Amino acid sequence: MKRSAIFFVLAALALAPLAAGQDGKILYEQLCSACHGSDGRGDREGQHPPLADSAWIKGAPDRLIQIVLHGLMGEITVPSKHSVSPTYDLVMPPQSALSNEQIAKITNYVRNSWGNMESTISIAIVEAQRKVTSGRKEFWLAKEILKRYPLNGKAGIESSNLQNLKPK
């Protein structure tokens, strides 16, 4: 009787991290792969852009975090060798209900998979990005987000400038 109770407790403890501390790959597969593909190459019909080798993923992390937080609507150009078409007219729903930790895990997985090799995004960076646009209620439009967070990464709040934005 004691053995079965101990086994049950150990089994429950072994499975708990999957719910509470899921890694980025699992979260990506659950929340993102239906559109962007499990291989990050987008869907084969050209409805959803690739994340593999995408300029939208590279550079400062702010743009990617903002897209996850507030979504993206309208026509975008995605330069990637995996693009079915370089132009996509889309609606990506916001994922603001995710925790800062979950967003950090997903974005780190994306930024370091399928040939992407980008810097790590901390939970503090996600938290600061959420705070900067906390009043935003609408989707980002491509022109708008690219003006604020260009693909070359020279504008916006980059991770190296976040020490003044960290929540207290």
Side-chain angles (χ1 to χ4, degrees), residues 32-54:
C32 312
S33 67
C35 294
H36 296 290
S38 60
D39 60 0
R41 293 182 178 201
D43 67 20
R44 303 302 176 245
E45 291 78 41
Q47 298 296 311
H48 303 96
L51 302 177
D53 188 43
S54 170

Side-chain angles (χ1 to χ4, degrees), residues 100-145:
N100 295 334
E101 180 182 14
Q102 289 171 316
I103 292 172
K105 287 179 178 185
I106 292 168
T107 54
N108 280 318
Y109 175 72
V110 168
R111 285 169 54 91
N112 289 286
S113 297
W114 321 296
N116 296 328
M117 297 186 311
E118 298 299 314
S119 62
T120 301
I121 298 172
S122 69
I123 295 169
I125 291 171
V126 176
E127 189 172 4
Q129 284 294 318
R130 188 186 297 266
K131 185 177 180 181
V132 167
T133 56
S134 62
R136 186 176 185 87
K137 302 293 182 221
E138 60 277 342
F139 288 81
W140 284 105
L141 299 175
K143 287 181 184 178
E144 177 188 21
I145 198 163

Side-chain angles (χ1 to χ4, degrees), residues 8 28-29 57 69 75 92 106 110 131 161 165 168:
F8 178 75
Y28 175 86
E29 288 172 353
I57 304 304
L69 286 170
E75 190 172 287
M92 180 184 151
I106 292 168
V110 168
K131 185 177 180 181
N161 298 326
L165 293 174
K168 296 175 179 158

